[in-house]
């Protein structure tokens, strides 16, 4: 089924709504959410409850590092902003926290492997931010010989690598809205960007659409009211830096 790939929502309900509406208008039949539902943003409860509904409808929903911090703060102490995590935890009901704590780190669906960070050590939250890291993640996921496509988040940028005929990993620069063929005789690894906190200087939300039947991937950017999202952060009493990141896309 045509699958919308969402990651790093970071409790930004405005960006999530914009991306889900955009994906639905383009024929998305299911969603795969690659972690970091919470953290930084002002609507953790609303986002988590939306994800609980999606999971009940059959969506893949994974755990990210911010989700782990919110669910079990002491286990992850010192690795993230503790005040942001503590505030997030205070906004969630026990059922929400149980949901976050119980999310898997990875999932496989046919030829596709999904992970928040890197497939070679998903619990260590490694960033797939270079060719070397992309190769390590791809090799680990493809230990299952059925896997041809690896999709992750965590880095807040949209990237695509593939293994060419020489077996070297090659980087392809995606353009938003342009469909990319992913022939299955090669193996591919992508980071789908951040729905709720882009960090490339562009304030538009990010997601990607994967069509396994046609072996195609399209990266998308979606404009939303990022200034209102920043105002939500300030109204919640969260750190000013969290609001400025939304205003600047950094």
């Amino acid at each position: 089924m045509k699958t919308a790939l969402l990651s790093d929502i970071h409790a930004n309900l405005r960006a999530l709504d914009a991306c889900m509406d955009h994906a639905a208008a383009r024929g998305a039949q299911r969603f795969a959410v690659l972690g970091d539902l919470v953290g930084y943003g002002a609507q953790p409860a609303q986002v988590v409850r939306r994800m609980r509904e999606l999971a009940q409808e059959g969506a893949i929903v994974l755990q990210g590092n911010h989700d782990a911090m919110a669910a079990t703060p002491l286990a992850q102490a010192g690795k993230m902003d503790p005040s942001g995590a503590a505030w997030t935890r205070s906004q969630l009901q026990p059922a929400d926290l149980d949901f976050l704590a119980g999310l898997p780190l990875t999932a496989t669906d046919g030829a596709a492997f999904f992970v928040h960070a890197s497939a070679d050590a998903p619990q260590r939250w490694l960033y797939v931010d270079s060719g070397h890291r992309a190769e390590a993640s791809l090799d680990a996921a493809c230990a299952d010989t059925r896997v041809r496509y690896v999709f992750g988040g965590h880095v807040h940028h949209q990237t695509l690598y593939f293994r060419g005929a020489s077996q070297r990993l090659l980087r392809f620069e995606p353009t938003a809205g342009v469909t990319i063929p992913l022939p299955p005789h090669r193996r591919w690894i992508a980071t789908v960007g951040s729905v709720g906190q882009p960090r490339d200087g562009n304030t538009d939300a990010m997601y990607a659409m994967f069509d396994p039947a046609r072996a195609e991937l399209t990266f998308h950017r979606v404009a939303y009211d990022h200034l209102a999202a920043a105002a939500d952060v300030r109204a919640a009493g969260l750190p000013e830096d969290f609001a400025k990141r939304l205003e600047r896309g950094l």
Side-chain angles (χ1 to χ4, degrees), residues 29-53:
Q29 297 165 289
R30 69 181 303 197
F31 291 87
V33 184
L34 310 184
D36 274 5
L37 284 56
V38 299
Y40 300 120
Q43 294 103 5
Q46 297 94 320
V47 168
V48 170
R49 287 161 203 168
R50 181 75 59 82
M51 294 301 105
R52 289 171 62 187
E53 292 171 0

Side-chain angles (χ1 to χ4, degrees), residues 35-118:
D36 274 5
L37 284 56
V38 299
Y40 300 120
Q43 294 103 5
Q46 297 94 320
V47 168
V48 170
R49 287 161 203 168
R50 181 75 59 82
M51 294 301 105
R52 289 171 62 187
E53 292 171 0
L54 282 181
Q56 290 175 350
E57 294 167 4
I60 292 169
V61 184
L62 302 183
Q63 186 184 83
N65 49 305
H66 284 265
D67 308 320
M69 180 64 174
T72 55
L74 294 179
Q76 299 289 328
K79 295 186 179 179
M80 283 163 285
D81 182 332
S83 62
W87 181 87
T88 293
R89 186 175 176 83
S90 75
Q91 303 301 300
L92 300 176
Q93 297 297 317
D96 300 325
L97 294 169
D98 288 345
F99 175 74
L100 292 180
L103 291 174
L105 296 178
T106 67
T108 304
D109 182 51
F113 182 94
F114 305 96
V115 63
H116 178 63
S118 185

Side-chain angles (χ1 to χ4, degrees), residues 75-244:
Q76 299 289 328
K79 295 186 179 179
M80 283 163 285
D81 182 332
S83 62
W87 181 87
T88 293
R89 186 175 176 83
S90 75
Q91 303 301 300
L92 300 176
Q93 297 297 317
D96 300 325
L97 294 169
D98 288 345
F99 175 74
L100 292 180
L103 291 174
L105 296 178
T106 67
T108 304
D109 182 51
F113 182 94
F114 305 96
V115 63
H116 178 63
S118 185
D120 58 317
Q123 74 285 358
R124 293 178 58 196
W125 314 118
L126 300 172
Y127 288 91
V128 179
D129 55 2
S130 67
H132 170 72
R133 288 299 324 143
E135 188 165 32
S137 184
L138 182 65
D139 287 347
C142 291
D144 180 342
T145 57
R146 298 171 299 171
V147 171
R148 289 292 181 272
Y149 312 105
V150 181
F151 299 113
H154 197 37
V155 297
H156 293 224
H157 291 270
Q158 294 179 321
T159 64
L160 179 63
Y161 295 85
F162 67 95
R163 180 157 280 141
S166 68
Q167 297 304 303
R168 291 181 55 221
L169 204 66
L170 304 174
R171 180 166 177 155
F172 180 88
E173 292 297 329
T175 299
V178 176
T179 296
I180 305 163
L182 307 184
H185 68 275
R186 292 177 173 164
R187 290 180 174 174
W188 304 79
I189 179 167
T191 59
V192 303
S194 174
V195 169
Q197 196 172 95
R199 292 180 182 168
D200 62 350
N202 181 342
T203 58
D204 291 348
M206 306 175 180
Y207 81 99
M209 186 85 80
F210 177 53
D211 187 337
R214 298 175 65 89
E216 293 177 344
L217 180 68
T218 309
F219 293 89
H220 290 289
R221 301 301 297 259
V222 183
Y224 76 102
D225 194 343
H226 64 284
L227 296 179
D232 293 339
V233 168
R234 292 188 175 100
L238 289 164
E240 176 66 15
D241 282 350
F242 294 1
K244 288 181 178 177

